[in-house]
Amino acid sequence: MSANTDRHENAVARYFEAWNASEPEALAKAVAAAWSVEGTYTDPLAAVTGHTEIAELIAGAHAQFPGFVFRPLGAVDGHHDTARFAWELVSGADNSAPVAGFDVITLDEDGRIRSVLGFLDRMPAGA
């Protein structure tokens, strides 16, 4: 495994730590570890900038899907400062995964996320 691959995989691991942090203090800490200060997150439902807005977005997802966790699907694919990966949102109660998608991230020189472009492949009606 190359150093660049490690860099991508480490960034994605921190990304999932942030999305799965549920307590406000842990969430704030995980977002700060994963994203650069002016980092962005954009998907079909949201466009936010900075740690506070990203943490609020993640907290909103937890409120909408209580008891669910994000987990990766497959390997991280990356080159240079860019990586892509698939994910799904899984219920702790019955292991169903009503939401799935893939994200493309760009990293800053420190390996933190500068931007996320998210795509939704599966979403429940009315969500």
Side-chain angles (χ1 to χ4, degrees):
M1 188 178 311
S2 73
N4 215 29
T5 300
D6 288 345
R7 184 171 183 249
H8 296 131
E9 289 182 358
N10 290 337
V12 172
R14 287 190 310 273
Y15 176 84
F16 280 104
E17 286 174 17
W19 275 98
N20 288 321
S22 57
E23 297 301 320
E25 188 174 316
L27 175 55
K29 184 177 179 179
V31 167
W35 270 270
S36 63
V37 173
E38 293 298 322
T40 63
Y41 177 91
T42 306
D43 72 16
L45 305 174
V48 297
T49 300
H51 292 170
T52 300
E53 290 183 5
I54 293 168
E56 289 171 353
L57 175 70
I58 292 171
H62 285 283
Q64 185 175 7
F65 295 97
F68 283 74
V69 296
F70 286 88
R71 72 177 176 203
L73 286 175
V76 175
D77 181 25
H79 61 81
H80 297 87
D81 290 331
T82 305
R84 66 179 177 167
F85 55 93
W87 54 267
E88 62 185 352
L89 184 62
V90 181
S91 169
D94 64 7
N95 212 32
S96 64
V99 183
F102 77 93
D103 292 347
V104 176
I105 61 172
T106 58
L107 304 177
D108 68 10
E109 57 279 351
D110 296 325
R112 291 193 305 167
I113 297 169
R114 184 174 42 230
S115 69
V116 176
L117 296 175
F119 297 85
L120 301 172
D121 295 326
R122 182 172 61 240
M123 188 77 175

